[in-house]
Amino acid sequence: MAQAAAIPALRTESNVNPFLPAFTLWWREVVRFYRQPARVAGVVLSPLVFWAVIGAGFGSSLQSSTTGTSNFLQYFFAGALLMIVLFTSIFTMMSVIEDRNEGFLLSVMVAPVHRSGIVLGKVLGGTTLSTIQGLLFLVFAPLIGIRLGPEQLLLVALITFLVAFALTALGFVIAWRMQSAQGFHAVINLFLIPLWMLSGALFPISGANHWLKLLMRANPLSYGMEALLQTLFPGSAPATALPLWSSIAVLSGFAAIVFVAGFIVANRRGTLPAA
Amino acid sequence: MSGRGSAAIRLENLSHSYGKRTALKNVSFEIAEGEIFALLGPNGSGKTTLFRILSTLMLPGGGRALISGFDAANQPAQVRRRIGVVFQARSVDIKLTAVENLWHQGHLYGLRGRELKARVRLMLERVGLADRAQDRVETLSGGMQRRVELAKGLIHRPAVLLLDEPTTGLDPGARRDLWQYLHELRTQEGVSIIVTTHLMEEAERCDRLAILNLGEVVALGTPAELCSQIGGDVLMLGTTDASNLAQAIQQEFRIATSVLDGKVRLERKDGHKFVTQVMEAFPGRIDSISVSKPNLEDVFIARTGHRLWTEPEQMEND
């Protein structure tokens, strides 16, 4: 094969280690975030506003026999956490559309970077932001009588991270071929609302009718929800749940599948303009 | 192979179409190492399509594009390591500083640590932005942002630099600086430079150029070669009735004429002498007359019969 020997020695390795580009893309995502005060305010304040409204609306008297926890507000706490992570994760990937429209993405795509590195960097960037936001929400847990030990806290962080990673990757897959933010919104709403409502965030799986139960079992987010419930309320979680680590395994599997899907869409080259 | 006959870029029957619309038709030519080469053409001529294929962003419909001997379609990783790309769209992140942008870019090419730091500093000095290194790109002027783009495209020492309409939106001073820098880069580092442009003034600054029209190469050579193919000087005659005058001149002097922008256009050796002849032959019918040495636009007109359009940018695949 022809070799270009006259080219001054390039210092780049024959294959750029994908973790270096992944790191740098992640770093950029985070820096961009904290340099835009409006976004920082949104992330920090939205759980606060959310909780203030929900808390005031429900009070603490709502009792439920099906949720297994002492009251609905406590049950809903996990659902609210899931929702916050869900929305933040997916919407961080709007940056893919922005990057594409700006030309930034083009300059990444012409670099000799394995496409998995690009997906990993972008997705981890979004994951970091939404995990932080989800964990900020945990500050309110003691207000409704949820006490978390350090071990529980780590578990909740792990579950939140996995949910955030899977959903950010999902956002990446959807955003990749999108031309406009409007189109992204439309598709996201189609996915997001059912995904959240059928995860057990709003009502427990045990209380649902037969076909709804099937749908909820098929929803990967249900396993995130169950894992959260079991961690937040050890001993009083719904009886039908899988063991904690099985739920986490299902969630990890889902995250891996969506990540691979992200790699596949990003790796595709065709005879149409890539961006 | 490097050495004799080695080409920075070699195109073999490159073709492409978007659905029914043909964007490139059997384009074949070579660009030598260390050459500054222009792809000149109006919007829709296929130059953006060619740029996309060379930068590995798109697979060609047919034929091959070789960069330093590597196939842009099948060996994208090898090609990507050798090319630096400066897009027409802004690709720098304006929320990051100039240094951060380059640092980020270097990581994408596997550069890191002290070596990368030194390289970033050097590149910023080269493009004259050392004093603005720590400023966010959003605070820099358009010309400075463009220079950060250029530094970004060169951070990994590419053998081939691809620039898509690099002077868009630049004032004349910034344009001149950019061209001066490109020439330095070629002379000092032997980088092969390919520039797409719809401005003939820019194409004239290149060593060689290809003129593209409707996806085909209509002219290929050095600016001087192409201009010398025009028969002498170019005369433009202003008149109220161009088509009749064109015909009359054609009959009288037995030379080819054409009508362009409501004027009669013709090519003639010793144009200044012909001025008196034609004025005497058609008294009162010629309002104005201009004689000029042929430029690349004349080459374009001679090959295609129309002017090089310089309308606002359009997407080629619309």
Side-chain angles (χ1 to χ4, degrees):
Chain A
M1 189 56 237
Q3 287 295 326
I7 299 165
L10 290 160
R11 302 291 179 90
T12 52
E13 306 155 38
S14 59
N15 266 316
V16 176
N17 168 1
F19 290 105
L20 189 60
F23 157 75
T24 205
L25 285 163
W26 168 84
W27 169 85
R28 166 186 179 254
E29 210 75 19
V30 174
V31 170
R32 267 183 82 83
F33 169 75
Y34 71 70
R35 289 200 181 152
Q36 297 174 77
R39 287 181 66 192
V40 178
V43 161
V44 176
L45 295 179
S46 67
L48 188 86
V49 171
F50 190 75
W51 190 247
V53 173
I54 297 284
F58 280 113
S60 56
S61 60
L62 208 58
Q63 295 291 324
S64 168
S65 54
T66 52
T67 58
T69 58
S70 59
N71 62 41
F72 186 73
L73 193 57
Q74 280 196 350
Y75 179 83
F76 191 65
F77 184 83
L81 174 61
L82 195 69
M83 189 174 87
I84 286 169
V85 173
L86 184 77
F87 276 83
T88 314
S89 299
I90 293 204
F91 281 116
T92 54
M93 285 299 101
M94 211 126 73
S95 68
V96 171
I97 298 169
E98 248 174 74
D99 288 349
R100 181 186 298 286
N101 292 344
E102 290 240 309
F104 176 83
L105 194 59
L106 288 176
S107 68
V108 177
M109 294 302 283
V110 299
V113 178
H114 195 258
R115 273 34 189 161
S116 61
I118 298 176
V119 186
L120 189 65
K122 285 297 284 184
V123 170
L124 277 181
T127 305
T128 304
L129 302 181
S130 64
T131 304
I132 289 172
Q133 188 168 26
L135 294 181
L136 277 176
F137 189 62
L138 284 181
V139 171
F140 303 108
L143 295 180
I144 55 162
I146 301 172
R147 302 258 174 272
L148 294 170
E151 198 185 324
Q152 275 173 301
L153 212 58
L154 278 178
L155 263 178
V156 174
L158 172 70
I159 298 162
T160 309
F161 174 84
L162 284 173
V163 170
F165 186 90
L167 292 169
T168 312
L170 184 66
F172 181 93
V173 172
I174 297 168
W176 188 257
R177 291 307 290 181
M178 288 276 163
Q179 305 290 326
S180 72
Q182 288 93 329
F184 186 66
H185 271 279
V187 175
I188 288 305
N189 285 335
L190 202 68
F191 264 95
L192 219 63
I193 309 290
L195 210 57
W196 179 66
M197 298 230 267
L198 296 177
S199 69
L202 207 54
F203 48 85
I205 293 184
S206 53
N209 69 27
H210 181 65
W211 62 268
L212 203 57
K213 209 174 263 183
L214 280 178
L215 273 178
M216 292 172 81
R217 281 272 154 244
N219 180 356
L221 275 193
S222 301
Y223 300 90
M225 184 65 195
E226 286 197 348
L228 273 180
L229 285 172
Q230 289 180 69
T231 311
L232 291 173
F233 313 106
S236 60
T240 54
L242 286 177
L244 175 63
W245 287 101
S246 302
S247 288
I248 290 177
V250 173
L251 198 58
S252 309
F254 175 59
I257 289 170
V258 194
F259 179 80
V260 170
F263 167 70
I264 290 170
V265 293
N267 198 37
R268 210 167 30 200
R269 292 169 75 217
T271 52
L272 285 172
Chain B
M1 269 317 289
S2 65
R4 246 172 353 120
S6 103
I9 290 183
R10 183 180 158 83
L11 307 179
E12 296 173 354
N13 293 315
L14 202 64
S15 301
H16 197 80
S17 55
Y18 303 105
K20 280 183 192 157
R21 206 178 70 73
T22 305
L24 286 178
K25 268 183 250 172
N26 286 319
V27 172
S28 301
F29 60 82
E30 281 192 11
I31 300 173
E33 275 179 14
E35 197 166 36
I36 302 186
F37 191 94
L39 294 168
L40 175 69
N43 295 313
S45 59
K47 59 189 193 311
T48 300
T49 300
L50 184 50
F51 188 85
R52 283 181 184 139
I53 292 170
L54 290 176
S55 59
T56 73
L57 285 174
M58 194 169 74
L59 298 173
R64 291 205 303 168
L66 302 176
I67 292 153
S68 302
F70 295 101
D71 191 325
N74 304 326
Q75 299 167 296
Q78 283 94 328
V79 170
R80 284 171 184 151
R81 229 168 284 132
R82 286 165 177 79
I83 56 172
V85 189
V86 178
F87 294 97
Q88 195 182 344
R90 184 179 63 208
S91 82
V92 288
D93 189 327
I94 56 167
K95 293 285 171 200
L96 303 184
T97 67
V99 166
E100 286 168 342
N101 264 293
L102 296 184
W103 187 69
H104 174 82
Q105 182 76 3
H107 283 160
L108 294 180
Y109 287 83
L111 299 166
R112 60 201 297 176
R114 204 173 295 168
E115 186 196 11
L116 176 57
K117 240 181 201 161
R119 183 79 187 146
V120 168
R121 199 179 313 120
L122 178 71
M123 287 315 301
L124 285 173
E125 272 167 24
R126 284 264 186 85
V127 299
L129 284 175
D131 54 332
R132 305 294 300 268
Q134 301 298 336
D135 293 359
R136 281 194 208 171
V137 171
E138 60 190 343
T139 67
L140 302 181
S141 72
M144 290 175 175
Q145 290 189 4
R146 210 70 207 151
R147 282 189 264 163
V148 181
E149 287 290 350
L150 189 64
K152 197 178 152 177
L154 288 167
I155 192 85
H156 58 290
R157 245 180 249 122
V160 177
L161 181 66
L162 304 169
L163 302 112
D164 193 9
E165 305 271 355
T167 57
T168 306
L170 292 189
D171 59 54
R175 250 169 220 226
R176 210 174 36 241
D177 290 351
L178 179 73
W179 275 101
Q180 197 184 339
Y181 182 67
L182 292 181
H183 278 274
E184 274 174 33
L185 194 67
R186 185 271 303 271
T187 316
Q188 291 169 10
E189 302 197 13
V191 178
S192 315
I193 300 170
I194 290 89
V195 179
T196 75
T197 182
H198 60 270
L199 303 172
M200 52 157 191
E201 308 91 284
E202 303 215 319
E204 269 161 5
R205 294 169 183 259
C206 296
D207 301 329
R208 283 200 312 142
L209 71 148
I211 301 182
L212 286 171
N213 186 51
L214 301 173
E216 288 179 289
V217 176
V218 293
L220 181 72
T222 68
E225 267 167 25
L226 293 181
C227 291
S228 70
Q229 285 167 10
I230 303 261
D233 300 318
V234 175
L235 279 82
M236 295 290 285
L237 314 180
T239 175
T240 47
D241 186 10
S243 55
N244 279 336
L245 182 66
Q247 250 176 5
I249 295 176
Q250 212 159 337
Q251 279 167 3
E252 177 77 22
F253 296 98
R254 309 214 164 272
I255 53 168
T257 60
S258 59
V259 177
L260 193 79
D261 298 345
K263 292 184 174 183
V264 178
R265 181 182 178 283
L266 54 92
E267 294 158 10
R268 182 91 181 175
K269 271 212 174 80
D270 297 324
H272 59 282
K273 289 179 188 157
F274 185 67
V275 170
T276 37
Q277 286 178 11
V278 77
M279 289 297 269
E280 279 164 10
F282 301 98
R285 286 180 69 182
I286 298 169
D287 305 328
S288 68
I289 196 158
S290 72
V291 183
S292 53
K293 291 278 163 220
N295 60 24
L296 287 175
E297 179 145 31
D298 295 307
V299 176
F300 188 80
I301 293 166
R303 298 294 168 96
T304 68
H306 58 86
R307 270 191 187 283
L308 190 64
W309 301 113
T310 49
E311 281 167 9
E313 294 304 311
Q314 291 169 308
M315 281 296 287
E316 282 198 4
N317 56 331
D318 279 351

